[in-house]
Amino acid sequence: MAERDLKDIAFGKDAPDEILGKQETEFDFSRYLKTFIGVVRRNAVVIGVILAGSILLGVIVTLLMTPTYDAVAQIMIEDQADEIIEGSELQSAMTGRGDTARFLSTQLGIVQSRSLARAVIQSERLDRNPAYFEAMGSEMPVAEAGQSAQDVANASRNRAISLLQSALSVEMPIDSRIAGLSIRSRSPQLSARLANLYAQRYIEYNLNQKYESSAYARRFLADQLDDARNKLTQSERDLNQYARAAGLIRVTGQGGNGETALSVTNNTLVDLNSSASKAIADRIAAEDRWKTIAGQPILNVPEVNANPAVSGLIAEKAKAQAILADELSRHRDGYSTVVAQRAAIAELDRRILAIATSIKNSAQLDYQAAAEKEKSLLSRVTSVRGEALDEQDRGVQYSVLKRVADTNRTLYETLLSRYNQLNASAGATSNNVTLVDAAEVPHSPHSPNLLLNLAVALVAGFVLAAAIVFLKELFDDAIRSPEDVERKLEMPLLGLVPMLDIEGVEEEMGNRRSSLSEAFQSLVTNLRYSTANGLPRVLALTSSRESEGKSTTARSIALNVARLGNKVLLVDADLRRPTLHRQMKDANLSGLTDVLTGQRTLEEVAMPSGQPNLDYVSGLPMPPDPALILAGNGLPAFIADARTRYDMVVLDCPPLLGLSDAALLARHADGVLFIIDASSFHRGAVKSAMRRLALVKANILGVVLNRFNPRAGADDYKYYSYNYYSYGSQERD
């Protein structure tokens, strides 16, 4: 039978994967939801107390807060003001979105500046008004020992400015030019008054800034204009003197745009260059024409064929040849008409040749004339070029002086135009800041806001509760569910024993169809597959502390293994507080202690339990030093003897914490079964016990989770699994 099938028999086909040791590879939302619900249930009281305390604290804080009032004045800040006179704005226009954003940010910085706050305070002498300080939640500075009146006045002014800056808030929505100036104080009237004062002072500040910048610009331009005038006069004088000395004539350019120097040599050179270029082109054309027709037969020349006289003679020749052919068809060669016709054709050929030769010779004569003209013009250009270069050398300095004069003239005209414009627009200044809405006296306080405070308190309570619950769960190593075994201990879960509401555990164990019996039967089945050789020959059961169900589990395992036909020995190895002899109602005072001290043998102290194949050894008599006895040579001999007589030995060991007995016993066992009570906290005891077992290199087979309450972990399917056979009197349908 496959291992999975045996596990299905032990736990049922619907057993959770955590019990079977299956690793989850996919996100299981329902699992985490159930875990969350379980955490909330376990900490419901803590969460409730924290939330109630947070809400109560929010109500108390709200009642203790002093009401404050917000008054808002809205102003519109444009990129540029309307120009009463065109070009009167000194600042350049905003060309991009980034420029506009920087401009608006700068203006908001000015609104929040200390200088503007000082202007507001000084305009109403608020630094001398005790009501102002009271409305701002502060006290007016008073003179102290050694302070002068001026020191007190300065301190009062500085505090008044700081209070006003802290009470001011400026908001400008994105993609908007309207800014809201908000003032918060304890007096609604003062809040509205200060907000309006802030808006007015800012508008005045903006106007003053424009006027001051214009006045400075006019003074600056006047100084620059005088300097530019002097430079222009001197540069014009230098230019005239050089032109007279160099023999250059200054004339106004075409259209009156600027002045230039008149040079006859340059004009002559330009004309000669133009004529020479044309002569070269004509010579090249004539040369190409002559070279094309020079080697061709006369009658193949295109100009000859295109000549009307030649074309007429050729036509007459064709007619004469036709007549000659007709005469030859009727007469002989020597006939008079034939001879006459031949003479006529010869005359036509002579005339055609004469005209064609004349046409061809004219092309040669054109080529020779063009070449002579080109040579003459090039010679004249070379001569005039030398004269022009000499004159050009003199014109270099003239050009330099002229550029200086032109630059000075342009600068002077620009400054003069701007200066005249500023003089005309000095008193025509338009403001780019306007008041949209004046602040009104608020009718209701801005704070405290009970609903907002309660919402904040509730959110803070949830955050605090989550943090406390998280820390509590983080440092709490309580094992309450199968998930906790694998997550916190990283150990396999071999058994899950439910919590019973009835007191008769013995009766439940006697009922083989009860949930308790089913759980222990599943545990035994898992033990059969916990080692490579099946059931461990020597099994030790221990826990972190007492009263976690070790003895009941040990008896149940021994009983169920014995029912499988194996010979089992149940040993009460707790020599400090033995209980097995009371459960068996045994009056014999001999037990494991006598065997370990060599006073008796295993055969003498092993008692029948009343169940087939099951014997037991009690922990009597109680020794004064159990650890010393267990550390001696008697324990290995006892284990070795029990191995030869029984198929399985079950050691009911004492708790691990505070004692060394269980560690000594675990070293001699083939496997250790760790019992955990799921109904109580352990506060690190389980992990400490596990570490002690690891130190002695004990073979921990797994964990049994005792007194497990499935409903506490919201695992109803597990509850059903363990209550399927809980009603033994009912038959399954």
Side-chain angles (χ1 to χ4, degrees):
M1 185 179 295
E3 179 179 353
R4 175 72 196 187
D5 296 336
L6 293 172
K7 291 182 179 180
D8 288 342
I9 294 174
F11 289 97
K13 294 184 180 296
D14 296 329
D17 291 335
E18 292 83 352
I19 299 176
L20 301 177
K22 178 181 177 181
Q23 297 292 329
E24 301 249 0
T25 59
E26 297 182 356
F27 179 78
D28 188 356
F29 176 76
S30 60
R31 172 187 174 187
Y32 289 99
L33 179 61
K34 291 176 181 178
T35 303
F36 174 75
I37 294 174
V39 171
V40 172
R41 286 182 178 179
R42 289 194 298 272
N43 300 277
V45 176
V46 176
I47 296 174
V49 170
I50 293 175
L51 293 180
S54 299
I55 294 175
L56 180 60
L57 182 61
V59 173
I60 294 174
V61 170
T62 302
L63 295 177
L64 294 178
M65 290 177 65
T66 302
T68 58
Y69 299 85
D70 276 9
V72 181
Q74 292 186 330
I75 58 175
M76 182 170 62
I77 306 174
E78 293 290 348
D79 298 349
Q80 286 183 321
D82 295 333
E83 294 185 0
I84 300 176
I85 297 178
E86 184 178 359
S88 61
E89 279 292 327
L90 295 179
Q91 296 178 349
S92 60
M94 305 298 170
T95 58
R97 188 181 183 91
D99 294 336
T100 301
R102 283 190 291 271
F103 170 76
L104 295 177
S105 298
T106 302
Q107 295 304 309
L108 295 182
I110 293 174
V111 173
Q112 296 172 320
S113 66
R114 189 173 181 85
S115 60
L116 190 59
R118 182 184 296 107
V120 174
I121 294 297
Q122 291 176 350
S123 64
E124 295 291 326
R125 297 183 179 275
L126 297 175
D127 54 334
R128 303 179 184 180
N129 189 353
Y132 168 77
F133 289 94
E134 182 180 357
M136 290 297 178
S138 180
E139 295 182 358
M140 185 175 179
V142 295
E144 298 180 358
Q147 274 190 327
S148 64
Q150 185 62 36
D151 293 337
V152 176
N154 292 336
S156 179
R157 184 184 307 109
N158 292 333
R159 182 176 298 182
I161 293 173
S162 299
L163 290 174
L164 184 57
Q165 283 187 295
S166 62
L168 172 68
S169 61
V170 183
E171 294 183 358
M172 176 176 286
I174 300 176
D175 296 331
S176 175
R177 302 290 192 279
I178 298 178
L181 308 182
S182 175
I183 297 293
R184 179 175 301 175
S185 72
R186 297 179 180 181
S187 171
Q189 292 78 12
L190 181 63
S191 295
R193 178 184 169 193
L194 289 177
N196 291 327
L197 281 174
Y198 239 110
Q200 294 171 6
R201 294 292 87 79
Y202 173 60
I203 294 173
E204 293 174 1
Y205 171 85
N206 194 61
L207 284 173
N208 292 334
Q209 186 184 33
K210 288 178 177 293
Y211 180 79
E212 291 297 329
S213 61
S214 175
Y216 171 77
R218 290 196 304 275
R219 291 192 300 270
F220 175 78
L221 284 177
D223 295 338
Q224 294 296 317
L225 193 60
D226 290 339
D227 185 54
R229 185 185 298 111
N230 295 331
K231 289 182 178 179
L232 177 60
T233 302
Q234 183 63 37
S235 61
E236 289 285 356
R237 186 179 294 112
D238 294 341
L239 182 62
N240 288 332
Q241 291 176 355
Y242 182 80
R244 184 180 299 110
L248 301 176
I249 302 174
R250 297 176 62 190
V251 297
T252 303
Q254 186 177 3
N257 298 325
E259 293 182 347
T260 183
L262 179 62
S263 173
V264 177
T265 305
N266 287 340
N267 292 338
T268 303
L269 179 61
V270 171
D271 294 339
L272 287 174
N273 276 329
S274 177
S275 300
S277 298
K278 186 176 182 304
I280 292 173
D282 294 341
R283 190 266 304 167
I284 292 173
E287 183 180 4
D288 291 342
R289 178 188 174 195
W290 168 245
K291 288 181 179 180
T292 301
I293 65 177
Q296 294 184 2
I298 293 177
L299 295 180
N300 290 342
V301 176
E303 288 83 352
V304 173
N305 292 328
N307 189 274
V310 175
S311 300
L313 293 174
I314 291 175
E316 291 180 7
K317 180 182 177 180
K319 291 180 182 180
Q321 287 177 341
I323 295 172
L324 177 62
D326 181 63
E327 291 293 333
L328 287 175
S329 65
R330 291 182 295 171
H331 305 285
R332 294 182 178 180
D333 257 349
Y335 195 71
S336 60
T337 56
V338 172
V339 171
Q341 199 62 35
R342 288 185 184 277
I345 292 173
E347 178 61 22
L348 290 174
D349 287 337
R350 185 189 65 77
R351 292 172 60 186
I352 291 173
L353 179 62
I355 295 173
T357 303
S358 176
I359 292 173
K360 185 174 182 181
N361 290 336
S362 67
Q364 183 178 11
L365 292 175
D366 291 342
Y367 163 64
Q368 292 174 352
E372 289 296 330
K373 184 179 180 180
E374 175 190 5
K375 181 178 179 182
S376 176
L377 288 174
L378 290 177
S379 175
R380 180 58 180 160
V381 167
T382 302
S383 175
V384 176
R385 183 183 294 116
E387 298 175 4
L389 290 175
D390 294 338
E391 189 175 272
Q392 189 174 3
D393 291 338
R394 297 193 301 273
V396 171
Q397 182 63 25
Y398 176 85
S399 299
V400 172
L401 294 175
K402 185 177 182 302
R403 280 195 295 270
V404 173
D406 291 343
T407 301
N408 291 335
R409 183 182 299 107
T410 302
L411 177 61
Y412 175 76
E413 292 174 352
T414 301
L415 291 174
L416 181 61
S417 174
R418 187 58 174 161
Y419 181 76
N420 293 333
Q421 187 180 40
L422 287 178
N423 283 333
S425 62
T429 306
S430 176
N431 200 351
N432 62 322
V433 179
T434 56
L435 180 65
V436 178
D437 284 328
E440 298 180 355
V441 177
H443 300 290
S444 58
H446 175 270
S447 66
N449 188 330
L450 179 60
L451 294 180
L452 178 62
N453 290 349
L454 290 180
V456 172
L458 188 61
V459 172
F462 274 115
V463 173
L464 180 61
I468 291 177
V469 170
F470 173 76
L471 293 175
K472 183 174 177 292
E473 291 292 323
L474 181 65
F475 293 105
D476 178 23
D477 67 341
I479 309 298
R480 301 184 182 89
S481 64
E483 293 88 347
D484 293 338
V485 174
E486 293 188 351
R487 179 170 56 88
K488 297 181 180 181
L489 301 181
E490 298 181 355
M491 296 293 296
L493 180 67
L494 297 181
L496 197 62
V497 181
M499 178 182 288
L500 301 177
D501 296 333
I502 60 175
E503 298 179 356
V505 177
E506 295 294 334
E507 296 180 3
E508 282 290 307
M509 292 179 59
N511 183 5
R512 300 187 63 178
R513 302 191 66 178
S514 67
S515 60
L516 187 64
S517 296
E518 287 292 332
F520 285 126
Q521 291 174 21
S522 299
L523 173 59
V524 171
T525 302
N526 284 339
L527 283 174
R528 295 175 62 185
Y529 299 96
S530 61
T531 65
N533 299 321
L535 287 170
R537 295 292 303 276
V538 179
L539 176 65
L541 284 80
T542 185
S543 64
S544 61
R545 60 187 184 186
E546 61 183 12
S547 302
E548 295 201 56
K550 297 183 302 298
S551 299
T552 302
T553 304
R555 288 194 298 122
S556 299
I557 291 174
L559 179 61
N560 280 282
V561 174
R563 287 173 179 172
L564 295 177
N566 298 311
K567 192 171 183 181
V568 182
L569 175 65
L570 176 61
V571 181
D572 187 356
D574 189 354
L575 303 183
R576 300 177 186 273
R577 296 181 62 181
T579 59
L580 184 60
H581 63 284
R582 290 197 297 270
Q583 295 170 355
M584 295 297 183
K585 299 179 181 180
D586 185 9
N588 185 14
L589 298 180
S590 294
L592 180 61
T593 303
D594 291 334
V595 177
L596 297 180
T597 56
Q599 298 180 13
R600 293 183 179 273
T601 62
L602 173 60
E603 186 177 2
E604 293 176 345
V605 299
M607 305 297 294
S609 64
Q611 297 290 337
N613 299 323
L614 178 60
D615 294 340
Y616 72 92
V617 174
S618 69
L620 298 176
M622 291 186 291
D625 192 353
L628 182 61
I629 295 177
L630 291 173
N633 296 326
L635 181 60
F638 170 76
I639 297 297
D641 189 13
R643 287 179 183 273
T644 61
R645 297 175 181 270
Y646 296 93
D647 297 324
M648 184 177 183
V649 179
V650 180
L651 301 177
D652 181 11
C653 302
L656 272 163
L657 294 184
L659 304 174
S660 61
D661 302 9
L664 294 172
L665 291 165
R667 293 180 58 186
H668 299 284
D670 295 335
V672 177
L673 195 61
F674 199 86
I675 313 299
I676 299 176
D677 185 359
S679 64
S680 61
F681 293 96
H682 299 83
R683 302 189 184 280
V686 174
K687 292 185 178 180
S688 298
M690 290 288 186
R691 285 193 292 269
R692 291 196 60 189
L693 290 176
L695 288 175
V696 298
K697 299 182 180 180
N699 181 22
I700 305 175
L701 301 178
V703 173
V704 175
L705 194 59
N706 193 25
R707 298 167 187 164
F708 171 62
N709 184 8
R711 285 180 176 174
D715 297 323
D716 294 334
Y717 65 93
K718 300 175 184 176
Y719 177 78
Y720 171 78
S721 175
Y722 283 105
N723 283 274
Y724 189 75
Y725 293 106
S726 61
Y727 303 97
S729 61
Q730 299 293 331
E731 292 290 332
R732 246 190 344 153
D733 294 335

